[in-house]
Amino acid sequence: MSVSGSGHPDPRLPADRCRTTGSPPSTAAPTHPFCRAEGVPRTVMEAMATGVPVVASDLSQMRDLVSSGGYTVEVGDVEGFADRIEACLDGEYPDGGRARIVEEHGWEETVERTTEVLDGLREG
């Protein structure tokens, strides 16, 4: 597991299975900007599409999406996050995330939905 920042993220996580990438330069864009108002975060969907388990804040836009490929944890529950990350490192997580993203958000679905929206705009 890679964690952006410096220092070991949590002493309960095994040092041999976690690495820190260091702090990004101040001019670099964050790898996962956090916004409570964000709809469906693309980075979460991208991780799930590759089969990577996700641990995310228990926000309404995350709850249903993440349930098939990871866990949600109450906002601010640092110990809960650490526990779920540890479970993922031990291979204990739902593994349906990739299939769900491919089925519901693959290129064919995206093209179909986009075409419907554009057709609706054209028709007035």
Side-chain angles (χ1 to χ4, degrees):
M1 173 175 70
S2 296
V3 177
S4 182
S6 59
H8 196 270
D10 188 297
R12 293 179 297 159
L13 297 177
D16 62 326
R17 295 170 66 187
C18 298
R19 70 178 179 86
T20 55
T21 60
S23 298
S26 60
T27 57
T31 57
H32 182 72
F34 175 77
C35 176
R36 289 179 191 234
E38 185 174 8
V40 178
R42 182 181 310 263
T43 53
V44 170
M45 292 174 60
E46 289 171 347
M48 290 176 65
T50 64
V52 173
V54 172
V55 178
S57 295
D58 187 18
L59 304 172
S60 60
Q61 65 268 38
M62 298 291 239
R63 200 171 294 128
D64 183 53
L65 176 67
V66 173
S67 65
S68 61
Y71 301 106
T72 56
V73 179
E74 186 175 329
V75 175
D77 182 359
V78 175
E79 188 167 316
F81 266 94
D83 290 343
R84 290 303 191 179
I85 291 170
E86 190 170 23
C88 289
L89 290 171
D90 290 338
E92 302 168 11
Y93 55 87
D95 64 356
R98 183 179 180 348
R100 178 171 185 194
I101 295 300
V102 169
E103 180 181 322
E104 296 178 13
H105 302 282
W107 280 113
E108 289 180 21
E109 285 292 318
T110 301
V111 168
E112 185 177 310
R113 289 179 187 165
T114 302
T115 301
E116 287 174 8
V117 169
L118 294 174
D119 286 346
L121 292 171
R122 183 177 46 187
E123 293 169 5

